[in-house]
Amino acid sequence: IELYGIKKLRELILELAVRGLLVPQDPNDEPASELLKRIAAEKARLVKEKKIKKQKAQPEIVTNELPFSLPNGWCWSRLDNISPMSLVDGDWIETKDQDPSGGVRLIQLADIGVGEFKDKSERFINQETLMRLNCTTLKEGDILIARLPAPIGRACIFPKLQTQSITVVDVAILRPPENFCAKYLVNAINSMTFHSQVESYGKGATRFRIATGNLKSLLVPIPPLLEQHRIVAKVDELMTLCDQLEQQQESSIGAHQTLVKTLLGALTNGSDREGFTAAWARIVEHFDTLFTTEWSIDQLKQTILQLAVMGKLAPQNPTDEPASELLKKIAAEKAKLIKEGKIKKQKSLPPISEGEKPFSIPIDWLYGRFGDICINRDGERKPVSSEERRGMQGGYDYYGASGVIDKVNDYLFEKSLLLIGEDGANLINRSTPIAFLAHGKYWVNNHAHVIDGISLNFLKYISLFINAINLESYVTGTAQPKMNQAKMNSIVVALPPEAEQHRIVAKVDELMTLCNQLKDRIAVIQITQRHLADTVARKTLD
């Protein structure tokens, strides 16, 4: 939110600049109209000398086009009339034309920032291709304008590079005249005034872009040359202050995140009740300072899950039937299903070593292998291609690795079961829950493991456990992460007594509801703050 406010401040600075509201006007400055006359005369001379072709004249500017009135000495100009050299596209370079060992740099969209050249691309062509395609070679000081997002229409000045360079077709090139402040032009092109015009012309449903012909006709407010330099100096000064403020905010946000992680980590790392109580007391004392962002609430929710499966969230009851009895019930149920031919007898899993146990657990808890305590129903899954699904649209949920991805007219399961993502980046980045319950009638493809158990509440607890732990040691592959059945079966699960599982699930549900309510309030506050920032910026210009 703080950084959003700085973003709006940067936009406001540029907008005040191009409206003549950032620095005072000097009546002794030569008016901008004289500057544009000299540019027009230079263009006419170059055409007469056949150094450039005569360009199609831009339409006259009419009053109802003007976004706002300008100070005395300023005037409006079409972008293409600012330079003797007409605005041109970069070059169409196909992949086969590229040469990693070539000496000509290919500037791309990723290099074009808002007011800064990002210097990211590392693609090249050779001299032979440069000559064959008759490419436009960039010059230091050229203004590069991106014709694709994000944002569309952003501009920067091309710097001095060690290598000869050209640019791709989706970048337009504006070569400003020597008697013009190029940096002012970049600021004007990056302003909201110019951006709103770009947005009105942008076309393309899949790739929103603006044609160079439309770019040429857009309006730019032109101040006297001396005022252009004063504006640039003031913008640079204010942007430096924004940079400093941004660094302070980023440092503050970083410090806040470190503090949240450290204090929440103390809850899960504490080995005794006294240490846990002290850590919780510190959090309670500073709760309103710590949990002020959606990120911090997400961290709190993850800590709640971790505490739950460590036996630190719900109280233990010495009268509960111990977890060893639950394991006997699970073993008996699996033996019954094997005898009835409903599941196959699985290969014995290795005993759990002390080194595999991730944390200490209460006395009536036990550790068990996932494959020993759960019933796998992966064999009943059936993948259906997206093309096939188009012919079987219906009202039943079709599940993939991270939840419902479609609706189909048939189902495979009609019992509440636990689904666990089998593959995908979510196994590592955990942007959505790995484990989730499916209810009613539904279909599951082969990207989610299907797990049954001794009871629905047992499955709810297993879901909490899988979502609480780090699964990286059970995942294979980096480009395409995957947790196969064998790896999943080897997961070491901390298993509480059956009665305590009920208490844990109920307490987690209660706390997650409170966290979601707090997160919703934060979201409302953030929306209000964004609206306030937008309104203040807009009202400043009214």
Side-chain angles (χ1 to χ4, degrees):
I1 289 302
E2 291 87 351
L3 299 182
Y4 179 81
I6 297 171
K7 173 179 176 289
K8 299 304 295 184
L9 186 58
R10 291 183 190 277
E11 292 176 357
L12 180 59
I13 289 168
L14 292 182
E15 193 61 20
L16 291 173
V18 300
R19 290 178 181 236
L21 300 173
L22 200 60
V23 299
Q25 282 74 52
D26 185 339
N28 296 317
D29 287 345
E30 180 187 68
S33 57
E34 295 301 314
L35 176 59
L36 292 177
K37 286 178 185 176
R38 289 197 293 273
I39 293 172
E42 174 66 9
K43 185 179 295 188
R45 183 184 68 80
L46 293 173
V47 170
K48 186 176 181 180
E49 295 175 358
K50 297 184 178 181
K51 293 182 178 178
I52 62 172
K53 292 182 181 180
K54 187 174 182 180
Q55 303 159 15
K56 180 181 176 181
Q58 291 294 321
E60 292 292 327
I61 299 172
V62 295
T63 304
N64 61 6
E65 283 186 277
L66 304 180
F68 47 80
S69 59
L70 295 174
N72 291 333
W74 289 49
C75 62
W76 290 98
S77 173
R78 305 279 184 197
L79 185 62
D80 204 40
N81 291 337
I82 289 172
S83 171
M85 308 296 291
S86 183
L87 192 72
V88 296
D89 281 338
D91 294 288
W92 184 268
I93 306 296
E94 297 185 38
T95 304
K96 63 182 179 61
D97 294 323
Q98 296 180 28
D99 178 0
S101 61
V104 181
R105 171 98 171 264
L106 179 59
I107 304 304
Q108 299 173 86
L109 283 163
D111 293 309
I112 316 302
V114 179
E116 63 172 331
F117 183 77
K118 292 185 171 290
D119 202 10
K120 285 187 173 183
S121 66
E122 294 182 355
R123 297 188 181 183
F124 297 85
I125 65 170
N126 54 43
Q127 284 290 335
E128 181 183 346
T129 302
L130 178 75
M131 301 301 293
R132 175 171 56 84
L133 298 178
N134 193 26
C135 299
T136 302
T137 303
L138 294 175
K139 293 184 178 180
E140 180 185 359
D142 282 348
I143 295 174
L144 306 181
I145 307 172
R147 300 198 296 111
L148 284 173
I152 188 171
R154 65 192 183 277
C156 68
I157 294 176
F158 181 67
K160 183 178 182 179
L161 296 182
Q162 297 299 317
T163 56
Q164 189 177 13
S165 302
I166 64 168
T167 188
V168 294
V169 69
D170 285 321
V171 177
I173 306 165
L174 175 65
R175 189 155 291 166
E178 293 181 3
N179 58 347
F180 216 101
C181 182
K183 201 164 184 181
Y184 169 79
L185 273 179
V186 167
N187 287 339
I189 293 169
N190 286 323
S191 71
M192 290 185 286
T193 289
F194 195 85
H195 183 71
S196 62
Q197 296 178 77
V198 173
E199 289 281 350
S200 69
Y201 273 106
K203 296 179 180 179
T206 55
R207 296 193 79 198
F208 188 64
R209 73 175 69 224
I210 183 170
T212 300
N214 290 332
L215 269 178
K216 291 179 178 182
S217 68
L218 301 188
L219 297 174
V220 181
I222 307 298
L225 181 59
L226 291 177
E227 189 171 347
Q228 290 178 30
H229 290 283
R230 295 198 298 273
I231 288 171
V232 166
K234 178 56 72 173
V235 167
D236 287 349
E237 175 190 342
L238 295 177
M239 290 299 182
T240 298
L241 294 176
C242 286
D243 290 342
Q244 294 171 359
L245 184 59
E246 196 167 60
Q247 290 170 3
Q248 291 172 5
Q249 294 290 1
E250 287 176 345
S251 177
S252 175
I253 291 170
H256 175 258
Q257 291 182 348
T258 299
L259 186 61
V260 168
K261 284 184 175 180
T262 301
L263 292 180
L264 289 177
L267 289 177
T268 55
N269 294 333
S271 58
D272 55 43
R273 175 60 61 177
E274 186 177 335
F276 176 85
T277 302
W280 179 242
R282 286 194 295 271
I283 289 174
V284 170
E285 184 180 357
H286 302 288
F287 195 91
D288 57 344
T289 303
L290 290 170
F291 302 105
T292 57
T293 64
E294 293 186 18
W295 178 88
S296 61
I297 300 300
D298 287 338
Q299 299 302 305
L300 177 60
K301 290 170 75 172
Q302 189 63 30
T303 300
I304 289 170
L305 292 179
Q306 291 173 325
L307 294 174
V309 302
M310 294 172 74
K312 294 184 176 183
L313 195 64
Q316 280 77 51
N317 187 335
T319 63
D320 287 344
E321 186 178 73
S324 56
E325 294 302 311
L326 176 59
L327 286 179
K328 291 178 184 177
K329 290 180 186 178
I330 293 172
E333 176 66 16
K334 294 185 79 170
K336 174 175 167 291
L337 293 172
I338 292 170
K339 187 175 181 180
E340 294 173 353
K342 293 181 179 179
I343 63 173
K344 293 180 180 179
K345 186 176 182 179
Q346 67 185 43
K347 183 180 177 181
S348 296
L349 295 169
I352 299 169
S353 66
E354 285 300 317
E356 290 181 278
K357 298 175 182 178
F359 44 78
S360 60
I361 53 177
I363 191 168
D364 285 335
W365 289 38
L366 287 175
Y367 275 113
R369 297 278 185 198
F370 185 95
D372 287 332
I373 63 176
C374 295
I375 300 166
N376 191 289
R377 296 181 62 174
D378 283 0
E380 300 171 57
R381 303 177 301 181
K382 185 178 178 182
V384 183
S385 70
S386 56
E387 184 178 351
E388 291 174 311
R389 292 200 304 272
R390 280 195 289 271
M392 54 184 294
Q393 290 295 294
Y396 299 109
D397 290 335
Y398 181 90
Y399 281 91
S402 298
V404 177
I405 60 173
D406 208 343
K407 295 279 189 178
V408 292
N409 59 7
D410 202 356
Y411 61 91
L412 298 175
F413 303 95
E414 53 179 326
K415 177 186 179 183
S416 294
L417 296 170
L418 174 63
L419 305 185
I420 300 175
E422 181 173 348
D423 51 29
N426 193 44
L427 286 168
I428 304 299
N429 60 37
R430 309 296 282 268
S431 57
T432 59
I434 297 295
F436 47 93
L437 289 164
H439 304 283
K441 298 176 179 179
Y442 51 93
W443 194 294
V444 183
N445 68 17
N446 60 346
H447 295 289
H449 294 293
V450 182
I451 306 300
D452 205 346
I454 191 99
S455 68
L456 177 58
N457 200 75
F458 172 82
L459 292 178
K460 288 180 179 179
Y461 173 77
I462 296 298
S463 175
L464 296 182
F465 188 89
I466 296 298
N467 287 326
I469 65 171
N470 187 326
L471 293 171
E472 289 188 25
S473 61
Y474 302 104
V475 174
T476 59
T478 53
Q480 186 65 359
K482 183 180 179 68
M483 183 170 67
N484 60 35
Q485 192 177 126
K487 286 288 188 180
M488 180 180 64
N489 285 342
S490 71
I491 293 174
V492 176
V493 179
L495 196 64
E498 197 167 7
E500 190 172 345
Q501 289 177 28
H502 285 270
R503 294 195 297 273
I504 289 171
V505 168
K507 178 58 70 174
V508 168
D509 286 346
E510 176 190 347
L511 294 178
M512 289 300 176
T513 298
L514 292 173
C515 284
N516 289 334
Q517 290 173 353
L518 183 55
K519 199 171 180 179
D520 288 343
R521 291 176 187 173
I522 290 171
V524 170
I525 292 170
Q526 289 177 343
I527 290 170
T528 302
Q529 289 175 327
R530 286 175 183 265
H531 285 168
L532 181 60
D534 291 340
T535 301
V536 169
R538 188 170 59 251
K539 289 294 184 183
T540 302
L541 300 170
D542 287 347

